Amino acid sequence: MEAIVALCRRRGFIFQSSEIYGGINGFWDYGPLGVELKRNLKEAWWQDVVRCPAPGPTGDPLEMVGLDCTIIMNPKVWVASGHVGTFADPMRKCKRCGHFVRADHLWDILAQDCRWFDSLLQEFTPGSGEIDTPRLMKWARGKGKKIAPNLALVRNPEVTLSWLATRVTGQDDAPSELQEIVRYVATEQLQRDGLQDPCPLCGGELDEARPFTLMFESHAGLSQSDDNKVYLRPETAQGIFANFRNVVDTSRVKIPFGIAQVGKAFRNEVTPRNFTFRSREFEQMEIEFFIHSDEADTWYRYWRDSRFAWWQSIGLAGENLTLREHDRDELAHYAKEGAGTSDIEYRFPFTAPGFGELEGVAHRTDYDLRQHAEHSGLRDKLKYFDQQKNEKYFPHVIEPSAGADRGALALLCEAYTPDESRPSKVYMKFHPRMAPIKAGIFPLVNKDGMPEVASKLYNELRGQYPVQFDAKQNIGKRYARMDEAGTPYCFTIDGQTLEDQTVTVRHRDTLSQERIGIDRVAAFLAEKLRG
RNA sequence: GCGGGUGUAGCUCAGUGGUAGAGCGUCACGUUGCCAACGUGAAUGUCGACGGUUCGAAUCCGUUCACCCGCUCCA
């Protein structure tokens, strides 16, 4: 992976944002080659999804329209969607080690996934619940010291155990509840703070539960008050739902139909990691496909399979691409009752042997439209009226939601091909459609009229394709540079060109060469670049 | 947020208290006859940042930032 990051930087695919100031965690810039690659990806998506989508499950053409919404919207959108409120999870921070834990999951985590809690339980006699003070003391000074250094019982065993003793002897019906005993051993100063909850990691005390949102906040207007607080969108989907009625009213679409959007979204991730894979600012390519609930299964399967095929078609054809159906219990709240959710995943070098998500295909039911219908007060006006069926209903939604940056990263990882036999030691095997530069135009040597012919060809081609002209240094060096940029073809003008009007085509992947007429170069490229 | 690692030219790295270096790359000129050839020359550094110790710091100490690995988190 480090080699890929190094090549991205060296050749100008991806730079760290604001690098000259030391960078900023979770933000990345695309360089001259990277912007072409990402643009190719997004344009291919738009072409294949909005302008000319594959036929639907019945063979009929799909109806798709585009949309481009703002990043900042009325904050009520995020209340309706649940991003403000239920998803602003109450989090508690450990005062000792700084660890964050979800308040509502604390006791589950302690019981199921906590080293010191597990170990401490062994010290209680099974069944009886009796408190064995010397035994707990021994635990506190031995094991406990290592795995729960900040637990009150470990820091100050005598005092803590004396509190525990008063609790137990004061009750007739000991054994007492496990949870309460644990809170006692986590509490050092009973009178001042009451019983404490322990940190699953170190045993230290947790502070108050506070809502913790992944959304970036800003203010629309000059004053920085709660009145004008706004959020940077954490997903593009809600802009589509909020405009559902506008699109239906203005574009004559009929169910089933889809609305597509490409755009930036922002999430204040706790830990941005793995190059651009988890960034705080990223770009999504989302479709909300509106259907009647009776057809959810059919459309879900259609989108899952056609989206998978699409990623294959742009070069992620190997075993590194996989389709994973979610288990019921990992589904998002809105998708529990739906036809299913699946991820299209790619085996990135940093996730291997596991996979990382490229695109999620989810049946969101009618959750979002219902939420907006209720919160906006528009209620039934957000329903769709089906003239043929004479039925008014909230459409269900199949949502294929892809990450553009993750897609570009997968393309980079997939293309990266070490090859010790060639001068560059590595080449980027992009699908020609995705390649940032489609062709290099080179005079074999920089004299004898070759540069003039090459330059003429270059000027003809550059109007249609991103191509590069290079006459400097020897031909091998120029080929090597094109290998690292992932340019699939190089056209070289040599002595023979001047005699018979043919050029050599050098193929990136095979290193083989063929001769074609100089007048056929444009047609050659057009054919190779076709979807 | 925790633990471990890294940070010197575009890249790979050397330099362990005393004048900041090498190779590769980049650029210019010459040469060139199909895969980073050769010759000559040139540009390029707040030694990640801030502070401290010292006559003197890339080097020692503290803090901080960024990246990598492992936790945690990822609706």
Side-chain angles (χ1 to χ4, degrees):
Chain A
M1 191 63 211
E2 279 166 54
I4 296 175
V5 176
L7 182 131
C8 283
R9 182 170 161 44
R10 187 172 73 243
R11 289 272 85 120
F13 282 100
I14 297 174
F15 308 120
Q16 207 181 354
S17 171
S18 31
E19 191 187 74
I20 60 169
Y21 290 103
I24 176 167
N25 199 357
F27 298 88
W28 300 91
D29 293 338
Y30 286 82
L33 290 182
V35 68
E36 293 289 346
L37 175 68
K38 190 174 164 189
R39 182 183 278 269
N40 289 342
L41 177 69
K42 289 189 290 183
E43 285 180 355
W45 185 88
W46 194 261
Q47 177 66 28
D48 297 345
V49 154
V50 183
R51 297 202 167 145
C52 187
T58 57
D60 296 328
L62 280 195
E63 199 163 17
M64 295 287 305
V65 293
L67 197 60
D68 186 18
C69 308
T70 56
I71 287 166
I72 290 172
M73 296 190 260
N74 188 312
K76 288 174 184 167
V77 168
W78 306 114
V79 176
S81 72
H83 286 85
V84 177
T86 55
F87 292 122
D89 298 323
M91 302 289 284
R92 301 184 68 179
K93 188 181 181 184
C94 175
K95 290 179 185 171
R96 303 257 164 192
C97 74
H99 174 67
F100 279 96
V101 60
R102 272 182 67 161
D104 51 342
H105 286 182
L106 175 62
W107 288 96
D108 291 340
I109 291 168
L110 283 171
Q112 288 161 22
D113 196 21
C114 172
R115 275 177 70 203
W116 68 258
F117 189 80
D118 205 41
S119 165
L120 182 61
L121 280 191
Q122 311 293 317
E123 306 306 319
F124 290 97
T125 313
S128 79
E130 253 174 52
I131 307 298
D132 185 340
T133 304
R135 197 168 162 188
L136 287 178
M137 190 72 87
K138 191 180 163 207
W139 183 87
R141 295 198 166 130
K143 262 190 184 169
K145 201 158 195 165
K146 281 184 200 150
I147 58 182
N150 294 327
L151 193 67
L153 175 67
V154 171
R155 292 204 320 273
N156 199 344
E158 290 85 358
V159 175
T160 307
L161 282 172
S162 72
W163 289 125
L164 185 58
T166 59
R167 163 69 180 83
V168 174
T169 52
Q171 297 282 327
D172 300 331
D173 59 343
S176 57
E177 204 186 325
L178 177 66
Q179 189 163 320
E180 196 176 356
I181 294 181
V182 171
R183 297 183 75 202
Y184 266 97
V185 303
T187 303
E188 198 166 359
Q189 300 197 22
L190 183 59
Q191 284 130 327
R192 199 185 62 193
D193 297 327
L195 289 176
Q196 300 288 340
D197 293 324
C199 166
L201 233 54
C202 74
E205 62 264 49
L206 300 171
D207 68 2
E208 293 300 305
R210 275 187 303 230
F212 182 82
T213 177
L214 291 174
M215 283 194 290
F216 280 95
E217 295 177 2
S218 188
H219 297 271
L222 294 179
S223 72
Q224 306 255 311
S225 67
D226 276 355
D227 300 345
N228 60 11
K229 188 198 274 186
V230 292
Y231 302 95
L232 307 194
R233 64 181 177 195
E235 62 175 30
T236 55
Q238 296 306 326
I240 295 178
F241 294 124
N243 276 298
F244 173 72
R245 202 175 70 150
N246 285 340
V247 172
V248 169
D249 287 351
T250 57
S251 65
R252 305 183 64 217
V253 286
K254 284 191 303 190
I255 279 182
F257 74 94
I259 305 178
Q261 174 166 220
V262 179
K264 289 279 181 91
F266 303 80
R267 293 182 199 179
N268 212 341
E269 298 287 354
V270 179
T271 312
R273 206 41 98 70
N274 290 330
F275 202 28
T276 59
F277 184 78
R278 177 164 296 131
S279 304
R280 289 183 165 138
E281 174 174 343
F282 57 98
E283 200 155 13
Q284 292 185 307
M285 307 186 291
E286 288 198 313
I287 304 164
E288 306 299 332
F289 198 77
F290 297 93
I291 54 170
H292 191 282
S293 58
D294 290 348
E295 297 183 321
D297 284 319
T298 307
W299 282 108
Y300 168 67
R301 283 198 302 275
Y302 166 80
W303 278 111
R304 181 192 62 193
D305 298 341
S306 68
R307 293 305 304 148
F308 186 76
W310 184 80
W311 286 105
Q312 291 181 315
S313 78
I314 59 165
L316 304 183
E319 289 177 356
N320 287 335
L321 192 72
T322 189
L323 185 64
R324 189 175 68 85
E325 197 82 30
H326 282 214
D327 297 331
R328 283 277 149 189
D329 57 5
E330 63 174 315
L331 293 185
H333 61 99
Y334 51 73
K336 288 274 191 226
E337 304 306 320
T341 297
S342 45
D343 282 348
I344 296 162
E345 299 183 326
Y346 181 78
R347 187 192 287 128
F348 291 96
F350 48 80
T351 58
F355 292 78
E357 181 186 346
L358 272 187
E359 171 160 3
V361 180
H363 175 204
R364 290 181 78 128
T365 69
D366 56 1
Y367 175 84
D368 299 277
L369 282 178
R370 277 186 187 280
Q371 287 294 113
H372 287 300
E374 186 184 325
H375 282 82
S376 66
L378 290 175
R379 305 199 179 276
D380 285 359
K381 286 181 186 163
L382 283 195
K383 280 185 175 168
Y384 174 81
F385 178 62
D386 190 325
Q387 190 83 58
Q388 278 183 319
K389 290 181 177 163
N390 194 28
E391 184 187 351
K392 210 171 181 189
Y393 58 92
F394 285 113
H396 276 225
V397 170
I398 307 295
E399 176 195 75
S401 168
D405 304 273
R406 289 179 174 190
L409 184 57
L411 291 176
L412 283 164
C413 293
E414 184 75 11
Y416 187 87
T417 314
D419 181 354
E420 282 301 315
S421 73
R422 58 175 86 196
S424 57
K425 306 293 184 208
V426 63
Y427 67 106
M428 298 300 282
K429 200 174 182 171
F430 293 119
H431 188 290
R433 198 179 173 198
M434 295 293 117
I437 303 170
K438 305 305 183 189
I441 318 291
F442 305 149
L444 182 58
V445 289
N446 202 12
K447 61 177 186 185
D448 297 342
M450 295 180 206
E452 290 76 9
V453 177
S455 173
K456 181 164 174 285
L457 177 61
Y458 167 66
N459 281 314
E460 284 166 15
L461 289 177
R462 67 184 303 197
Q464 302 170 65
Y465 306 106
V467 292
Q468 209 166 76
F469 174 86
D470 194 352
K472 297 294 166 87
Q473 299 173 313
N474 72 66
I475 192 77
K477 208 163 190 169
R478 286 176 265 160
Y479 285 153
R481 273 196 286 254
M482 287 296 108
D483 277 349
E484 282 199 329
T487 305
Y489 308 105
C490 293
F491 301 106
T492 301
I493 282 71
D494 57 16
Q496 199 179 327
T497 308
L498 306 174
E499 292 166 18
D500 66 3
Q501 301 296 304
T502 61
V503 298
T504 63
V505 184
R506 183 259 193 187
H507 294 257
R508 175 195 64 200
D509 300 343
T510 61
L511 302 180
S512 63
Q513 297 193 359
E514 59 177 316
R515 293 200 77 89
I516 64 170
I518 196 166
D519 55 345
R520 285 199 51 238
V521 168
F524 175 92
L525 271 182
E527 191 203 328
K528 298 290 185 186
L529 296 176
R530 195 173 298 145

